[in-house]
Amino acid sequence: MSAVAEKTHELNFRLLGILPLIFFLAQATHYWLLPDPGEISHMFWPCNIGNLLLAIGLFTNRAPLIRVAALWMIPGLVVWFVYVVLAWGIFLTSTLVHVGGVTVAIIAVRSVGMDRDSWLYAFGGYLLLQLLSRLITPPALNVNLAHSVYAGWQSTFNAYWKFWMVITLATVAILFGLGMLMWKIWPAPRSEVALIEEPGVS
């Protein structure tokens, strides 16, 4: 690839970040315009933050941010479909965030590849979002399941800590499995892996 073609490809790749940024802002605007101002707290769900993270990763060409965003949003697509679409139907901004965001994330990961460690960062980021949700979001919204057992699961879990442990272990398993699968399909460039393993290489 010529230098001009390579620069054009990089520019197009970075401009791709406009899409998840639009999805994030559209979703934020939707919640902002709702009568209850507390609804904006829903922006702390990983799928919403993931679009912002993906946009930043694309704009700055930071592969780790792109990978974490993808690992958040792909499982989130399934959760959204089961617990939102099937229960409440389809909403435009929510569809853009989940379907549009995942589509852009997959395109981006195909370009930058996946490494074997990003699932750890995705899990750490998830725990941070959950902590922030517990500290600053209304308990009634139960954003990121940070406050109480999810509605409908009370008969299975008689204490929140038990529910939290199961959800946390399931999250670890999903992120690890998805990370390894994506690494097998779209491995990170060998040159990047070499630089990580041998930081003295120039």
Side-chain angles (χ1 to χ4, degrees):
M1 183 183 294
S2 68
V4 173
E6 186 173 344
K7 287 186 176 182
T8 300
H9 174 76
E10 181 180 348
L11 177 61
N12 291 336
F13 182 74
R14 294 186 183 225
L15 289 177
L16 188 62
I18 293 174
L19 291 176
L21 180 59
I22 290 174
F23 303 156
F24 174 83
L25 293 175
Q27 183 80 319
T29 301
H30 165 72
Y31 284 122
W32 183 263
L33 294 177
L34 291 177
D36 182 357
E39 293 285 341
I40 194 69
S41 298
H42 282 301
M43 291 305 297
F44 277 93
W45 286 98
C47 287
N48 294 323
I49 296 295
N51 273 269
L52 180 60
L53 194 67
L54 178 59
I56 294 172
L58 286 165
F59 287 143
T60 61
N61 199 19
R62 301 291 182 184
L65 299 182
I66 293 170
R67 293 165 184 154
V68 168
L71 288 170
W72 280 353
M73 291 193 291
I74 293 174
L77 177 64
V78 177
V79 174
W80 167 75
F81 182 78
V82 173
Y83 288 99
V84 177
V85 174
L86 295 182
W88 304 98
I90 294 177
F91 300 91
L92 176 60
T93 58
S94 185
T95 302
L96 289 175
V97 160
H98 292 89
V99 179
V102 166
T103 301
V104 175
I106 290 176
I107 293 172
V109 169
R110 289 180 62 185
S111 179
V112 302
M114 178 62 70
D115 62 12
R116 288 176 289 183
D117 300 323
S118 287
W119 73 271
L120 283 170
Y121 299 111
F123 178 61
Y126 161 79
L127 291 179
L128 178 59
L129 283 180
Q130 193 176 56
L131 176 61
L132 290 173
S133 298
R134 186 169 182 86
L135 293 174
I136 65 178
T137 66
L141 296 181
N142 202 20
V143 175
N144 289 316
L145 310 178
H147 294 280
S148 59
V149 178
Y150 190 78
W153 289 88
Q154 290 88 346
S155 60
T156 305
F157 300 96
N158 58 9
Y160 173 68
W161 71 268
K162 296 178 182 179
F163 174 74
W164 184 86
M165 285 293 295
V166 171
I167 291 297
T168 300
L169 291 174
T171 300
V172 169
I174 291 169
L175 291 176
F176 173 77
L178 180 60
M180 292 301 100
L181 177 62
M182 295 177 74
W183 171 63
K184 289 289 187 180
I185 299 174
W186 303 302
R190 296 183 63 85
S191 57
E192 179 183 335
V193 175
L195 287 174
I196 294 173
E197 295 177 348
E198 303 178 45
V201 177
S202 60

